[in-house]
């Protein structure tokens, strides 16, 4: 079935298939059986393999069983769901937080609860696919502002004729570019125009800010971002997502978000792992420090090898290749040299900007980082990158 469509994808270098990945020692994994340094995981602090998470999950599995058995409003709310929501609210400095089953479910569930037909959404041009889908589901009018451009955003708001609600949405850290949204300026634009502001902290939670609370903490604008979404499956090493804000917001989401209402709750053991992750986040600040050092030494080493990258404070380091087929060859070349970093191609990124998206974690050693840089330099010499 679908031979024609699939062969078109293959010809365009856009065909994708899943590789099977098994943890090995340290930052190494077995990719379809071949050992490689993992350079494309979002487990930025190395918490997915942390014993504290596994032990908490195991204890909860014995106490609560595997599945939640129902949606949150029917029979799926355990004390662990409540406790996790309470602890997320403490981290974020908000009145409350509501859990979702994934970041994808949070965005596609929350956005249509906040805006509807007759309202308007103002969305950054590089926002994540789950935000785009959430906007489409809402039936609100969508206006796209230029990436990271508060002035363009302000102009669109000024020209907007809607009499309904107006919602600005941005990634905190952009997932495929690793740059940080200019949140202080966006907060000011939102306040000046009386628009609601939502930030997606999928890649910022646990990474940015002195306590790892995310983009608002990074910029010192806590309390001025009314809708803060984030995920538990990236730097926190667990699974699931949240939206944090005041009680009115969380009550509305519990009543109106279809992905909250009509889907089985997160397994309690997953909530237990997330609670343990928040504990590790607080008790082991060295992980964020190590991550920052690793990001610095990778970008410095790449520049010394004449591979241009911008300075950054996030673990996402994109090497733009351009052509999709070339990105696939580069990824294959890296795997041959013992480095696992997948090619990111359209429609995940705009046409003509296919890339190798490197990510750093707190688990990478200095030797790992040198090996990655050597592999990339070798590809560069061979004209593959
Ligand atoms: C990963 C990601 C999501 C989706 O989160 P999941 O928990 O993986 O579903 C949402 N938004 C952004 C910006 C992301 O990078």
């Amino acid at each position: 079935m679908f031979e024609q469509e699939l062969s078109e994808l293959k010809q365009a270098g856009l065909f994708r298939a899943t590789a099977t990945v098994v943890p090995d020692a340290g930052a190494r994994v077995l990719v379809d059986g071949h050992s490689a340094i993992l350079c494309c995981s979002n487990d930025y602090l190395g918490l997915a393999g942390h014993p504290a998470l596994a032990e908490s999950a195991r204890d909860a599995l014995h106490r609560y069983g595997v599945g939640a058995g129902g949606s949150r409003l029917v029979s799926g709310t355990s004390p662990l769901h409540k406790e996790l929501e309470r602890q997320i609210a403490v981290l974020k400095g908000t009145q409350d937080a509501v859990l979702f089953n994934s970041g994808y479910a949070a965005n596609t569930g929350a956005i249509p609860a906040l805006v509807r037909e007759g309202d308007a959404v103002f969305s950054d041009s590089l926002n994540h696919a789950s935000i785009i889908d959430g906007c489409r589901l809402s039936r609100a009018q969508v206006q796209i502002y230029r990436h990271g451009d508060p002035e363009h955003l302000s102009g669109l708001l000024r020209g907007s004729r809607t009499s309904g609600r107006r919602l600005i949405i941005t990634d905190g850290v952009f997932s495929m570019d690793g740059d940080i949204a200019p949140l202080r300026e966006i907060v000011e634009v939102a306040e000046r125009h009386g628009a609601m502001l939502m930030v997606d902290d999928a890649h910022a939670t646990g990474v940015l800010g002195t306590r790892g609370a995310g983009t608002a903490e990074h910029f010192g604008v806590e309390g001025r971002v009314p809708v803060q979404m984030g995920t538990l499956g990236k730097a926190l090493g667990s699974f699931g997502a949240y939206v944090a804000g005041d009680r009115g917001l969380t009550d509305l989401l519990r009543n109106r978000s279809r992905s909250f209402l009509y889907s089985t709750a997160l397994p309690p053991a997953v909530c237990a792992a997330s609670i343990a992750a928040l504990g590790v986040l607080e008790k082991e600040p060295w992980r964020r420090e190590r991550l920052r050092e690793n990001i610095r030494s990778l970008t410095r080493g790449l520049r010394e090898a004449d591979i241009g990258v911008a300075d950054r404070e996030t673990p996402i380091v994109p090497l733009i290749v351009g052509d999709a087929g070339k990105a696939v060859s580069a990824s294959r070349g890296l795997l041959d040299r013992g480095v696992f970093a997948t090619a990111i191609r359209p429609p995940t990124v705009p046409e003509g900007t296919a890339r190798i998206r490197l990510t750093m974690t707190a688990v990478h050693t200095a030797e790992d980082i040198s090996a990655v840089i050597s592999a990339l330099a070798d590809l560069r010499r061979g004209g593959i990158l």
Side-chain angles (χ1 to χ4, degrees):
M1 279 207 291
F2 305 114
E3 286 87 359
Q4 173 75 21
E5 193 169 340
L6 291 169
S7 82
E8 279 168 19
L9 278 175
K10 282 177 185 158
Q11 254 150 39
L14 295 177
F15 184 79
R16 309 184 193 203
T18 52
T20 303
V21 181
V22 177
D24 199 1
R28 299 195 78 87
V29 288
L30 296 172
V31 185
D32 292 332
H34 305 286
S35 177
I37 300 164
L38 177 60
C39 275
C40 51
S41 162
N42 301 321
D43 178 23
Y44 302 125
L45 300 174
L47 298 192
H50 195 293
L53 276 70
E55 279 159 29
S56 298
R58 188 198 54 205
D59 292 348
L61 271 178
H62 287 296
R63 172 90 177 75
Y64 294 95
V66 178
S71 79
R72 288 290 305 282
L73 288 167
V74 178
S75 61
T77 296
S78 74
L80 294 172
H81 291 87
K82 291 255 168 113
E83 177 58 15
L84 177 56
E85 289 178 332
R86 191 190 69 76
Q87 289 198 19
I88 290 168
V90 170
L91 174 70
K92 301 296 290 185
T94 54
Q95 279 179 0
D96 196 14
V98 52
L99 289 173
F100 284 87
N101 288 355
S102 69
Y104 192 91
N107 282 332
T108 52
I111 296 167
L114 301 175
V115 285
R116 58 180 80 172
E117 201 161 357
D119 298 335
V121 186
F122 300 82
S123 179
D124 186 287
S125 64
L126 293 187
N127 275 346
H128 190 261
S130 56
I131 295 179
I132 296 171
D133 292 357
C135 291
R136 286 179 182 154
L137 277 173
S138 77
R139 298 174 206 249
Q141 184 204 35
V142 182
Q143 299 206 45
I144 310 292
Y145 65 90
R146 281 194 294 270
H147 175 55
D149 187 342
E151 271 176 38
H152 188 219
L153 168 64
S154 183
L156 290 181
L157 279 157
R158 216 175 302 119
S160 161
R161 292 282 158 266
T162 179
S163 54
R165 282 185 193 154
R166 298 188 298 172
L167 173 66
I168 300 166
I169 307 186
T170 182
D171 279 16
V173 170
F174 287 87
S175 51
M176 295 301 134
D177 291 77
D179 55 331
I180 306 176
L183 195 59
R184 207 174 291 138
E185 290 79 2
I186 293 174
V187 162
E188 275 158 21
V189 170
E191 289 172 352
R192 196 158 66 238
H193 291 278
M196 201 168 21
L197 174 60
M198 173 169 175
V199 171
D200 176 337
D201 261 347
H203 294 278
T205 306
V207 173
L208 289 187
T210 45
R211 295 176 309 123
T215 314
E217 187 186 32
H218 176 79
F219 285 113
V221 292
E222 302 99 318
R224 294 170 73 188
V225 182
V227 187
Q228 298 193 57
M229 174 272 183
T231 61
L232 306 166
K234 288 173 179 163
L236 292 177
S238 179
F239 189 73
Y242 64 83
V243 177
D246 77 10
R247 180 90 52 202
L249 171 73
T250 54
D251 279 345
L252 181 86
L253 294 178
R254 288 190 185 96
N255 280 273
R256 287 244 200 271
S257 286
R258 294 169 67 85
S259 62
F260 180 88
L261 289 157
Y262 302 116
S263 193
T264 301
L266 284 173
V270 168
C271 297
S274 300
I275 292 169
L278 292 173
V280 175
L281 189 66
E282 195 184 333
K283 286 199 276 301
E284 300 182 10
W286 64 263
R287 288 177 182 271
R288 275 202 306 289
E289 216 20 73
R290 176 76 54 79
L291 175 61
R292 256 186 280 279
E293 283 163 19
N294 284 350
I295 296 164
R296 269 196 298 271
S297 62
L298 176 74
T299 50
R300 202 184 310 121
L302 286 174
R303 272 199 295 268
E304 280 163 17
D306 218 19
I307 298 170
V309 285
D311 262 329
R312 61 189 57 248
E313 298 166 90
T314 75
I316 303 164
V317 179
L319 304 174
I320 313 279
V321 174
D323 176 65
K326 212 174 153 199
V328 174
S329 304
S331 172
R332 211 172 287 133
L334 280 175
L335 194 56
D336 290 340
R337 289 161 181 79
V339 175
F340 181 38
T342 28
I344 308 287
R345 293 164 277 171
T348 309
V349 292
E351 206 60 58
T353 70
R355 65 197 67 186
I356 298 293
R357 171 184 177 270
L358 295 176
T359 58
M360 273 290 101
T361 74
V363 179
H364 287 106
T365 61
E367 294 74 46
D368 290 333
I369 296 170
S370 312
V372 171
I373 293 164
S374 304
L376 287 163
D378 195 33
L379 282 189
R380 169 59 55 94
R381 277 191 298 275
I384 304 170
L385 189 72

